[in-house]
Amino acid sequence: MHQKFNLEAAGRLLGISSSAMRARAKKDPVKYRLERDNRGQIWVWIDPASLPELKPSMHPSKLQPLQAQPDEL
């Protein structure tokens, strides 16, 4: 099941920078699908099951969900 992360959060999952995450997503669009929303924010769809290198404490199910800021509503 794929989950949606912003570039910064996706990079933290893998222990890399957001720019490195963007480069990986462009290089391997099957594993990391990029999506841009109507505000210009870039999102990465990642299947956590395909990332065996994740530390158990960094598993997406244990991360805090993204919260919308009041000005974004």
Side-chain angles (χ1 to χ4, degrees):
M1 174 185 215
H2 284 78
Q3 293 182 8
K4 184 175 167 179
F5 299 94
N6 64 21
L7 284 174
E8 184 180 338
R12 278 196 315 258
L13 281 174
L14 298 173
I16 58 177
S17 68
S18 59
S19 59
M21 182 68 241
R22 182 187 310 206
R24 278 194 192 184
K26 286 184 177 184
K27 186 176 180 179
D28 190 358
V30 173
K31 190 172 184 179
Y32 310 108
R33 184 172 56 101
L34 289 178
E35 177 182 295
R36 186 180 301 263
D37 65 13
N38 60 354
R39 296 184 70 189
Q41 176 85 24
I42 298 175
W43 299 92
V44 183
W45 288 90
I46 299 176
D47 182 8
S50 70
L51 302 174
E53 66 272 9
L54 285 178
K55 296 178 185 175
S57 63
M58 291 298 292
H59 197 275
S61 63
K62 296 185 185 234
L63 295 176
Q64 294 292 331
L66 295 174
Q67 298 292 324
Q69 299 298 322
D71 62 338
E72 293 178 359
L73 300 175

